[in-house]
């Protein structure tokens, strides 16, 4: 503590502190020791430390709400496996094993959405991200369906519409149940079919 360095709690030190503070209730002592043991367990992302260098997966694992905006691609928490594969292949700097490992990590990250108490997601995806033909039509069709499925399990997903004379008819997600809209069913919307 004095060196301002974070370390995992030592159970011997925790017991000594419990004695020092005269915590004699055995249930309370065991509860505190269980928390200390739990803090020593590594999260799922530890086996992907060559990919997750920051704290994002840990923050997401503990979050009650996640808000995100993406303008260039579908957010990682919403990516289907074939879409993520196409994204990584598009970089043209990774070999097949590296791509497989990154896709595996990305899909493992999505496990946060399937836990006992998944976070509420509030997501805005720019139309441009949905308009890119990442991996081709079948990959994009699967990706759009995957977004609908993820949205059905979570909370709100909207897309930000781009209007211009050059905008073709994009297939997109539109108004997927933002609280207060009265709409709870996920829908696919095609620009121009209004």
């Amino acid at each position: 503590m004095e060196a301002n360095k974070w370390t995992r709690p030592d159970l011997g030190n925790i017991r000594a502190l419990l004695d020092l503070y005269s915590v004699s209730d055995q249930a309370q002592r065991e509860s505190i020791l269980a928390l200390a043991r739990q803090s020593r367990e590594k999260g799922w992302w530890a086996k992907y430390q060559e990919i997750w260098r920051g704290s994002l997966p840990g923050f997401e694992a503990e979050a009650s709400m996640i808000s995100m905006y993406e303008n260039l691609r579908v957010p990682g928490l919403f990516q289907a496996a074939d879409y993520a594969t196409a994204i990584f292949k598009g970089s043209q700097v990774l070999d097949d094993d590296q791509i497989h490992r990154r896709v595996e990590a990305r899909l493992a990250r999505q496990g946060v959405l399937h836990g006992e108490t998944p976070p509420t997601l509030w997501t805005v995806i720019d139309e441009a991200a949905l308009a890119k033909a990442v991996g081709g039509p079948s990959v994009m069709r699967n990706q759009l369906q995957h977004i609908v499925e993820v949205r059905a399990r979570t909370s709100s997903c909207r897309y930000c519409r781009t209007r211009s004379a050059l905008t073709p008819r994009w297939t997109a997600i539109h108004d997927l149940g933002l609280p207060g809209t009265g709409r709870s069913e996920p829908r696919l919307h095609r620009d121009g079919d209004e």
Side-chain angles (χ1 to χ4, degrees), residues 41-95:
E41 294 175 8
K42 294 185 177 184
W44 64 264
W45 55 90
K47 71 179 193 178
Y48 300 105
Q49 59 192 50
E50 80 280 7
I51 295 167
W52 301 113
R53 293 187 183 103
S55 302
L56 177 66
F59 292 142
E60 285 178 344
E62 299 299 321
S64 61
M65 180 176 184
I66 299 172
S67 299
M68 62 182 94
Y69 166 77
E70 186 65 63
N71 65 338
L72 297 176
R73 63 179 175 219
V74 172
L77 285 175
F78 285 84
Q79 289 180 6
D82 53 353
Y83 180 92
T85 300
I87 289 285
F88 290 123
K89 280 187 177 181
S91 72
Q92 299 180 354
V93 296
L94 301 171
D95 64 38

Side-chain angles (χ1 to χ4, degrees), residues 13-27:
N13 289 343
I14 299 293
R15 284 187 190 96
L17 286 169
L18 291 170
D19 293 340
L20 177 68
Y21 291 115
S22 302
V23 178
S24 57
D25 180 342
Q26 199 57 34

Side-chain angles (χ1 to χ4, degrees), residues 127-128 130-132 159 162 166-172 189-191:
E127 185 176 44
L130 300 172
K132 294 180 186 338
Y159 87 99
T162 306
L166 300 176
T167 304
R169 294 168 48 106
W170 309 119
T171 300
H189 172 78
R190 190 173 192 128
D191 193 13

Side-chain angles (χ1 to χ4, degrees), residues 117-136:
T117 55
T120 300
L121 290 179
W122 199 93
T123 309
V124 176
I125 303 172
D126 193 285
E127 185 176 44
L130 300 172
K132 294 180 186 338
V134 175

